[in-house]
Amino acid sequence: CKKCRKCCTGTGIKIYPEDIERWKSQNKLDILLSINSLFGKSRQLIKKKENEECVFLNNGLCLIHDTKPKVCGEFPTSIKHGQKFDCQALDVLFPNIKRTI
């Protein structure tokens, strides 16, 4: 990670059932209350600020990094996925690819 935080802005941060169970066991009520369940249990997302940033991004720092959602730890899931967000870590993860963005 190059800490560009492009994965934290303008994208839906999907929540998995194991995230919810982990946060329940950790008594992370603040995180549990930040879940947008407008789509029902099949598609739960972390709420965003008006500027499209994750609510837990503050001055470029993740406030829940120690217990971040599963999807955050797996970003990017592929070269194409990383290119879509112009992920700065692609150069580290895949040094031989050509950047298309």
Side-chain angles (χ1 to χ4, degrees):
C1 180
K2 296 279 199 144
K3 298 180 177 34
C4 66
R5 303 298 183 228
K6 292 182 180 181
C7 55
C8 307
T9 305
T11 183
I13 300 172
K14 184 178 180 180
I15 302 304
Y16 289 92
E18 54 261 39
D19 293 320
I20 292 173
E21 291 307 313
R22 182 177 70 253
W23 296 328
K24 283 180 180 178
S25 72
Q26 295 171 340
N27 294 316
K28 299 287 188 176
L29 186 59
D30 58 331
I31 301 173
L32 293 167
L33 290 173
S34 74
I35 297 172
N36 185 345
S37 296
L38 291 175
F39 305 103
K41 289 189 177 186
S42 64
R43 186 153 189 241
Q44 295 179 305
L45 306 171
I46 292 284
K47 292 179 182 177
K48 294 189 261 182
K49 301 177 202 172
E50 285 184 29
N51 66 359
E52 294 294 312
E53 286 182 347
C54 171
V55 295
F56 293 106
L57 189 64
N58 187 14
N59 294 321
L61 297 174
C62 178
L63 300 176
I64 61 168
H65 185 58
D66 61 329
T67 188
K68 64 187 172 225
K70 176 183 173 187
V71 72
C72 297
E74 295 176 346
F75 189 91
T77 56
S78 67
I79 293 171
K80 186 176 180 180
H81 186 229
Q83 288 173 328
K84 178 181 176 184
F85 290 92
D86 193 26
C87 174
Q88 302 301 304
L90 286 180
D91 298 332
V92 175
L93 296 170
F94 308 101
N96 297 321
I97 66 157
K98 292 183 180 179
R99 303 275 300 210
T100 59
I101 297 176

